[in-house]
């Protein structure tokens, strides 16, 4: 019995710990292979103009079709990708794929469509981010005005000065910027006012209980009011119920995203939704495309 050695030491050698380590290493190996073997793809979740019911943007969300484990969601592997540095090649692949698709939609006539791409902290802080983005824009021919990068508060607040410089460089290229999961990180409002951002995405935890919790509805209403006073647009995440949509559009939240309208769908399905989907400002009239 490892009685005398103390709990910390004992825990380090516990079978559960070893198994976890093994799982992580296997996942890391598998993730390396996934990039080469084209097991990754992007799905796109519509963002709806809450006043008109039309799609004004699509968020690219990473999907991993693992040969044995099936479909894996980013919650399971993004953290490992961050910790191992695999997020750098992974993130570059995501950007290139999203820009290529954005270009295709721009060619098809969707010039005002916004394609939103998530950027994780380590990715944002990587050296050579701007040249890499320039190269991808050049290579794909994507109009940067159709590209939005989503960053979290934590990413930006880590070193606000460097972040501001990077954001400005991105803005100069015509790329738009959003703060993701707003309200869950720590944002200094004094920094917020200096960041050249376009949009705040209200985290879905606040939207969730919007109609049931006085606190959450107060927070959501205050974020929308503050954003407007700062000249920022608002996107509400995780809208699942028509009542939430009604309140949000009443309060002037320009864009809503959530399962009420659509989950993230394949490129082909997204293309079909762009052509056909028109959501009512109350209950969505079409949750699926009218044509296949
Ligand atoms: P996120 O950027 O906040 O993306 C929104 C997440 O909420 C997505 O989960 C989406 O499927 C989910 N969602 C959307 N509407 C609803 C709703 O009405 N109800 C509920 N319960 N959930 C909803 P997903 O695709 O699993 O992604 C999770 C997170 O992983 C993302 O959160 C983002 O932080 C990260 N992620 C996804 N793709 C990428 C990527 O390409 N690169 C990086 N760095 N991170 C990514
Ligand atoms: Mg996001
Ligand atoms: Mg979010
Ligand atoms: Mg998130």
């Amino acid at each position: 019995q490892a009685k005398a050695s103390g709990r910390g030491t004992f825990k380090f050698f516990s079978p559960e710990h070893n198994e976890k380590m093994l799982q992580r290493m296997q996942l890391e190996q598998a993730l390396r292979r996934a990039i080469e073997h084209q097991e990754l793809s992007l799905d796109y979740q519509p963002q709806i103009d809450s006043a008109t019911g039309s799609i004004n943007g699509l968020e690219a969300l990473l999907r991993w079709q693992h040969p044995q484990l099936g479909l894996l969601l980013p919650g399971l592997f993004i953290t490992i990708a961050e910790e191992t540095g695999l997020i750098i090649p992974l993130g570059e692949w995501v950007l290139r794929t999203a820009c290529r698709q954005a270009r295709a939609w721009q060619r098809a006539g969707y010039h005002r469509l916004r394609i939103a791409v998530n950027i994780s902290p380590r990715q944002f802080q990587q050296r050579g981010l701007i040249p890499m983005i320039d190269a991808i824009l050049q290579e794909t021919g994507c109009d940067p005005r159709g590209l939005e990068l989503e960053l979290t508060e934590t990413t930006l607040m880590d070193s606000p000065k460097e972040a501001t410089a990077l954001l400005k460089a991105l803005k100069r290229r015509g790329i738009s910027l959003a703060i993701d999961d707003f309200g869950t990180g720590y944002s200094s409002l004094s920094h917020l006012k200096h960041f050249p951002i376009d949009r705040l995405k209200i985290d879905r935890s606040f939207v969730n209980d919007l109609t049931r919790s006085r606190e959450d509805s107060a927070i959501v209403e205050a974020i929308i009011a503050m954003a407007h006073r700062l000249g920022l647009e608002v996107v509400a995440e995780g809208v699942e119920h028509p009542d939430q949509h009604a309140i949000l559009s009443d309060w002037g939240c320009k864009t809503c995203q959530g399962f009420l309208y659509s989950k993230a769908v394949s490129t082909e399905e997204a293309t079909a939704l762009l052509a056909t989907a028109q959501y009512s400002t109350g209950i969505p009239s079409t949750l699926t495309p009218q044509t296949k």
Side-chain angles (χ1 to χ4, degrees):
Q1 251 77 356
K3 220 177 174 184
S5 57
R7 289 188 175 273
T9 320
F10 178 73
K11 202 177 167 203
F12 183 78
F13 292 107
S14 75
E16 299 88 61
H17 180 86
N18 284 345
E19 191 171 332
K20 258 198 160 165
M21 290 277 289
L22 190 64
Q23 274 178 9
R24 287 182 63 91
M25 281 163 58
Q26 285 170 344
L27 203 55
E28 185 187 338
Q29 284 308 317
L31 195 51
R32 278 182 206 282
R33 280 199 310 270
I35 302 174
E36 294 161 24
H37 293 171
Q38 292 159 24
E39 293 164 18
L40 301 174
S41 62
L42 294 181
D43 277 355
Y44 294 89
Q45 186 178 30
Q47 300 181 336
I48 282 67
D49 183 310
S50 65
T52 68
S54 62
I55 295 175
N56 63 20
L58 294 163
E59 179 175 3
L61 294 163
L62 188 56
R63 300 292 180 254
W64 178 8
Q65 191 64 48
H66 189 286
Q68 281 87 42
L69 301 176
L71 179 70
L72 303 180
L73 294 176
L76 200 82
F77 59 86
I78 283 288
T79 312
I80 291 177
E82 270 282 296
E83 288 168 6
T84 55
L86 277 173
I87 194 68
I88 305 297
L90 201 69
E92 184 172 347
W93 180 88
V94 168
L95 259 172
R96 179 172 292 109
T97 307
C99 285
R100 201 173 281 152
Q101 189 54 47
R103 169 66 173 154
W105 280 322
Q106 286 162 3
R107 279 209 172 160
Y110 299 104
H111 296 290
R112 301 178 65 177
L113 186 68
R114 187 175 63 241
I115 305 301
V117 175
N118 293 284
I119 303 289
S120 69
R122 188 151 172 187
Q123 225 185 324
F124 188 65
Q125 282 143 18
Q126 73 176 283
R127 236 168 288 147
L129 175 74
I130 301 288
M132 185 261 277
I133 291 176
D134 282 341
I136 287 175
L137 288 173
Q138 170 104 52
E139 170 197 323
T140 59
C142 169
D143 181 346
R145 291 170 299 180
L147 178 64
E148 178 157 280
L149 301 184
E150 296 191 0
L151 307 141
T152 63
E153 293 166 271
T154 319
T155 303
L156 298 176
M157 292 302 161
D158 198 37
S159 56
K161 266 209 172 126
E162 282 82 352
T164 306
L166 276 174
L167 296 178
K168 282 183 177 160
L170 294 165
K171 282 303 299 173
R172 274 199 300 276
R173 286 156 174 79
I175 296 167
S176 65
L177 303 166
I179 298 191
D180 203 356
D181 306 337
F182 187 76
T184 59
Y186 65 104
S187 264
S188 143
L189 294 180
S190 65
H191 283 123
L192 191 63
K193 76 174 179 187
H194 290 303
F195 290 144
I197 50 168
D198 303 277
R199 243 173 291 276
L200 294 183
K201 297 191 74 176
I202 304 179
D203 190 70
R204 71 162 187 264
S205 59
F206 302 113
V207 176
N208 225 339
D209 283 333
L210 183 57
T211 56
R212 288 184 296 263
S213 151
R214 289 178 57 180
E215 290 80 11
D216 285 344
S217 75
I219 289 168
V220 170
E221 193 175 14
I223 292 176
I224 294 172
M226 179 191 68
H228 288 167
R229 294 293 293 269
L230 292 172
L232 305 175
E233 274 186 18
V234 180
V235 182
E237 298 188 311
V239 179
E240 294 182 356
H241 197 275
D243 292 348
Q244 295 165 341
H245 177 111
I247 295 179
L248 287 161
S249 69
D250 205 42
W251 286 344
C253 175
K254 183 164 166 55
T255 302
C256 290
Q257 179 180 349
F259 295 164
L260 172 63
Y261 320 97
S262 174
K263 64 179 174 60
V265 296
S266 70
T267 309
E268 293 71 29
E269 288 171 277
T271 304
L273 283 176
L274 282 173
T276 60
Q278 179 64 40
Y279 303 94
S280 94
T281 50
I283 296 154
S285 54
T286 46
L287 282 169
T288 49
Q290 282 146 2
T291 53
K292 285 249 161 126

